[in-house]
Amino acid sequence: MTRQRLGVCYYPEHWPQSRWSEDAAMMKGIGLSFVRIGEFAWSRLEPNEGAYRFEWLSRAVDTLHRAGLKVVLGTPTATPPKWLVDKMPEMAALDADGRPRKFGSRRHYCFSHEGYAQECDRIVEHLARAFGGHPAVAAWQTDNEYGCHDTVLSYSLAALQAFRRWCEAKYRSIETLNEAWGNVFWSMEYRRFDAIELPNLTVTEANPSLLLDFQRFSSDQVVAFNRRQARIIRRHAPDATILHNFMGAFVDFDHYALSDDLDIAAWDSYPLGFLERSSRDDTFKLRYMRVGDPDFQAFHHDLYRACGRGRWQVMEQQPGPVNWAPWNPAPAKGAVRLWTFEAFAAGAEAVSYFRWRQAPFAQEQMHEGLLLPNAAPSEAYDDIARISKELDALNAHVETAHAPVALIFDYESAWAWRIEPQGQDFSYFDLVMCFYRALRRAGLSVDVVPPTAAAIADRRLIIIPALFAPSHDFAEALAKSGATVLLGPRTGSKTADFQIPAELPPGILRSVIDIRVRRVESLRPGVRITLSGQGAFMRWREFLAFGESVAPVLVSEDGETALARSDNVFYLAGWPDEELLRSVLRRVFVVAGISTLDLPEDIRVRDNGAMRYIFNYGATTDISALVEEETLLIGEPILEPCGVAAFRRAPIAEFFEVS
């Protein structure tokens, strides 16, 4: 089994070479195993065109290697140098208003620009040839945070030309495209593929079918860009691991598709920054200001475990205040340890902290690291040493079981409901998170998975909120799965061409449950469609008709069916508040035969093989009812704020009351 490890992000080019050996020794001394370097260093690796300066990087890698550290080497393509931008200024992406995304920060390139892609091929080829055989280089990171700063969509000439080719390859004839997009509406019909326009600067909203295809195209461009780098690296480092560091709550390209070319999916976890940027209300943000949303990080751990086909890690873990959120509080005492063990409990192979030493200059100078700018240890430094010792004591290895509960998360659905929300506050991501939170509050470990037949095999419960356009293969697998199924609002409400199905929503999923959605409405803030003693719908509500095999389970106070059931399949006809969702899930759990836990509000549980982890995101809590004291491997029966407890379940009985 793979041993779980700790790492850090390091920028040797920022510090004197005389400091490198001391840094490496300190890293090793607190229990770090690997170091990520190089992902922003193009201007130092190639200060002038063709004038490669790899000597400093070689010395840095050798220094880390002598200290017993492994290296994750990043390709530097997220930050092309000024001389390259001057050479081909048209490589810059254009925003929706036609303005160039200029040099002066990072990610200043268009994924569709072939000239830039070839320059990336060249620098990656030279790096891979130089370091592919180095014994310290155990893994490669492609680029950095694809799409960060809204850089997936580009409206450049290169993007226009590439999009036209993409459309021709997909539709073959312009007549087929016109029919798929419904271009007879408003006389939008095209006569040739080279007449297609990009969906920006239109008088009013562009055709949703065009917008969706442009988003699909843009996602494909990111996937293709990454694939080029992965193939080059594999030629020169066939045994190395290839990964990319994804982000949180980011849906601008299909992470499942991109991960097909990776060995590991990684992501960058910043709990406090993400909370401040989230749509949660101020009461929630104040409650969790120093620990982060109890479920946000866990959701992404589960999502990226699916992307990596079981292999994933945190590449950047927040160790202190960040610099990019509206407000940037410091973590609570113990929060870094809490976040780290949440990741390991979810099966992470590694957790890496960003960054080793806080930079005293440039855009991220207020972003705290494990060392302060003067090289003195920060508050997190000793936390990491403690975590390392605890991992050794636990002999912690990656061990994650196949969860009986699958929650579908689909990138096309996120695109579709952003294009056509119908209600200003309808967010696919927020809706999926509502279901995920409720599952976590019930003490369940969950697999977040794509809408594929393979992903739902051997499940007891499958939850599918707002799935835009399920495929025939997925619908067939769902019907044959034998699992209990909960379909959420808007599921199956469009075809893949972004049209309302002829048979009405849920379209092809009528083979799973015989209902029809005859009308929908979006609800402004403050409006609630109540159910007697069962909670209410908010934001979104649907009106159902159904066949004889379907029965209403819950009815709203105005007489409309809120929850319908046919055998083991349920359909929820709106966006539920917390009370309603708990009521719905209680019924679904009974049918699925799933035991749940009645957890205190701030306690979360994660099962990982024989281990059960308990996390406290709130005040001191007595967990003595959970397990006998002598079985605890980490933690105490009175769990302090940010506390973590862990024990081996077998032969311990379930704890808390089964609901």
Side-chain angles (χ1 to χ4, degrees):
M1 293 186 295
T2 302
R3 183 74 182 269
Q4 293 179 311
R5 302 169 300 135
L6 301 175
V8 73
C9 305
Y10 185 47
Y11 299 89
E13 67 272 25
H14 294 176
W15 313 107
Q17 184 175 338
S18 59
R19 175 72 198 190
W20 296 354
S21 293
E22 183 177 355
D23 283 337
M26 292 178 68
M27 293 172 189
K28 190 67 175 177
I30 60 170
L32 301 180
S33 298
F34 71 94
V35 184
R36 184 193 70 177
I37 63 174
E39 78 274 15
F40 295 132
W42 196 337
S43 67
R44 288 297 175 96
L45 294 168
E46 190 183 11
N48 295 291
E49 184 174 6
Y52 302 107
R53 296 291 182 267
F54 291 176
E55 298 85 358
W56 69 268
L57 182 59
S58 181
R59 289 193 295 271
V61 172
D62 289 343
T63 299
L64 296 167
H65 184 44
R66 284 193 298 271
L69 297 161
K70 292 294 185 181
V71 170
V72 178
L73 185 55
T75 66
T77 53
T79 52
K82 185 60 164 65
W83 62 259
L84 182 52
V85 177
D86 291 342
K87 175 185 174 182
M88 51 175 68
E90 72 283 0
M91 64 175 269
L94 300 186
D95 69 12
D97 293 323
R99 299 171 299 190
R101 310 298 300 273
K102 295 171 59 178
F103 178 85
S105 58
R106 62 181 186 176
R107 303 219 56 78
H108 41 281
Y109 69 82
C110 174
F111 284 104
S112 295
H113 194 277
E114 178 60 23
Y116 180 64
Q118 291 176 5
E119 292 289 331
C120 293
D121 292 347
R122 180 181 56 77
I123 189 66
V124 173
E125 179 84 31
H126 278 81
L127 272 176
R129 189 181 299 140
F131 295 96
H134 198 292
V137 180
W140 292 74
Q141 176 186 295
T142 56
D143 205 272
N144 184 82
E145 294 183 339
Y146 285 135
C148 192
H149 319 298
D150 300 317
T151 52
V152 168
L153 300 182
S154 173
Y155 300 88
S156 67
L157 178 60
L160 171 62
Q161 293 169 339
F163 181 54
R164 289 169 172 172
R165 293 192 296 270
W166 184 93
C167 288
E168 186 167 12
K170 177 178 180 178
Y171 292 104
R172 302 295 181 185
S173 75
I174 199 66
E175 292 78 16
T176 302
L177 178 145
N178 281 326
E179 182 177 358
W181 289 3
N183 280 342
V184 65
F185 192 79
W186 284 352
S187 292
M188 294 183 295
E189 291 166 301
Y190 290 111
R191 293 186 298 167
R192 305 177 314 279
F193 284 104
D194 63 4
I196 292 173
E197 299 284 358
L198 295 180
N200 65 318
L201 300 175
T202 55
V203 174
T204 184
E205 69 267 23
N207 186 335
S209 300
L210 163 59
L211 285 166
L212 181 58
D213 264 346
F214 183 61
Q215 185 73 65
R216 287 167 171 156
F217 152 79
S218 299
S219 176
D220 286 352
Q221 296 297 90
V222 180
V223 172
F225 183 89
N226 179 77
R227 181 175 297 137
R228 292 170 74 143
Q229 295 197 18
R231 287 175 173 172
I232 292 169
I233 293 167
R234 291 196 197 284
R235 285 203 302 269
H236 298 285
D239 297 326
T241 296
I242 299 177
L243 57 85
H244 178 75
N245 57 328
F246 299 114
M247 294 178 288
F250 187 81
V251 297
D252 285 7
F253 64 89
D254 188 332
H255 295 42
Y256 299 126
L258 190 138
S259 296
D260 286 344
D261 294 303
L262 304 176
D263 300 301
I264 291 181
W267 82 286
D268 297 345
S269 175
Y270 292 93
L272 305 189
F274 289 142
L275 175 63
E276 288 293 347
R277 281 187 169 182
S278 76
S279 62
R280 301 310 300 263
D281 61 33
D282 285 343
T283 300
F284 187 92
K285 290 180 179 179
L286 285 170
R287 180 183 182 92
Y288 297 109
M289 180 181 76
R290 299 194 186 278
V291 294
D293 183 330
D295 303 305
F296 185 92
Q297 287 70 241
F299 172 83
H300 288 85
H301 298 339
D302 293 331
L303 170 63
Y304 291 126
R305 188 175 62 249
C307 288
R309 301 168 298 284
R311 297 193 65 193
W312 73 280
Q313 69 179 60
V314 175
M315 180 52 76
E316 297 181 17
Q317 176 61 68
Q318 176 179 2
V322 298
N323 68 300
W324 44 263
W327 290 272
N328 297 285
K333 179 179 176 58
V336 175
R337 177 173 174 268
L338 175 74
W339 301 331
T340 301
F341 275 104
E342 269 272 28
F344 285 137
E349 293 186 11
V351 173
S352 172
Y353 302 93
F354 186 89
R355 50 188 281 165
W356 175 245
R357 182 173 172 182
Q358 182 177 348
F361 43 72
Q363 285 92 327
E364 293 181 352
Q365 60 185 268
M366 297 301 293
H367 197 305
E368 190 173 289
L370 301 188
L371 300 186
L372 300 176
N374 67 350
S378 71
E379 276 81 350
Y381 183 88
D382 291 333
D383 292 339
I384 310 310
R386 176 187 177 186
I387 294 166
S388 176
K389 291 177 181 177
E390 289 176 321
L391 289 174
D392 287 341
L394 283 173
N395 192 25
H397 289 78
V398 176
E399 185 179 2
T400 304
H402 182 79
V405 180
L407 175 64
I408 300 297
F409 184 79
D410 174 53
Y411 287 92
E412 282 207 352
S413 298
W415 306 337
W417 307 137
R418 185 166 58 190
I419 291 167
E420 191 182 72
Q422 186 65 9
Q424 182 173 299
D425 57 358
F426 192 99
S427 161
Y428 174 73
F429 182 86
D430 286 353
L431 179 61
V432 172
M433 281 297 300
C434 287
F435 284 85
Y436 184 80
R437 291 181 202 285
L439 294 169
R440 284 259 288 178
R441 285 293 306 275
L444 296 175
S445 297
V446 181
D447 286 342
V448 177
V449 299
T452 64
I456 62 172
D458 303 318
R459 306 288 183 176
R460 291 168 65 183
L461 174 60
I462 304 167
I463 298 180
I464 312 172
L467 179 59
F468 161 70
S471 69
H472 286 278
D473 288 346
F474 179 73
E476 183 177 347
L478 196 63
K480 295 178 179 178
S481 69
T484 299
V485 177
L486 174 60
L487 303 173
R490 299 192 88 166
T491 295
S493 60
K494 303 289 181 180
T495 69
D497 293 326
F498 216 132
Q499 299 187 16
I500 298 173
E503 64 272 31
L504 296 183
I508 62 174
L509 291 182
R510 283 190 64 193
S511 63
V512 179
I513 184 169
D514 185 19
I515 65 170
R516 294 178 304 283
V517 178
R518 56 186 174 84
R519 167 182 275 184
V520 303
E521 63 176 355
S522 55
L523 306 171
R524 65 183 301 113
V527 175
R528 296 167 57 82
I529 307 298
T530 58
L531 288 75
S532 298
Q534 302 287 344
F537 284 142
M538 49 192 280
R539 300 194 192 191
W540 183 271
R541 195 262 288 258
E542 299 172 349
F543 301 81
L544 303 183
F546 40 84
E548 294 181 357
S549 64
V550 179
V553 178
L554 294 175
V555 178
S556 62
E557 290 187 337
D558 61 5
E560 295 291 338
T561 297
L563 180 68
R565 177 183 177 185
S566 177
D567 193 18
N568 62 329
V569 180
F570 295 80
Y571 188 91
L572 181 61
W575 186 307
D577 67 4
E578 290 185 15
E579 182 183 0
L580 176 55
L581 187 52
R582 284 197 300 270
S583 175
V584 169
L585 287 177
R586 279 196 294 267
R587 291 169 166 80
V588 172
F589 293 149
V590 169
V591 175
I594 291 176
S595 298
T596 61
L597 306 174
D598 185 17
L599 296 175
E601 184 175 4
D602 296 322
I603 297 293
R604 297 295 186 269
V605 169
R606 169 79 70 167
D607 293 334
N608 185 330
M611 291 289 293
R612 172 160 281 177
Y613 291 83
I614 308 159
F615 303 99
N616 185 7
Y617 284 86
T620 299
T621 302
D622 185 349
I623 63 166
S624 58
L626 308 187
V627 64
E628 295 179 6
E629 181 176 348
E630 61 265 25
T631 67
L632 285 169
L633 302 177
I634 298 177
E636 301 292 339
I638 303 300
L639 200 60
E640 61 187 9
C642 296
V644 178
F647 64 94
R648 297 201 178 276
R649 290 190 292 160
I652 304 302
E654 293 286 346
F655 49 82
F656 286 126
E657 293 298 321
V658 176
S659 61

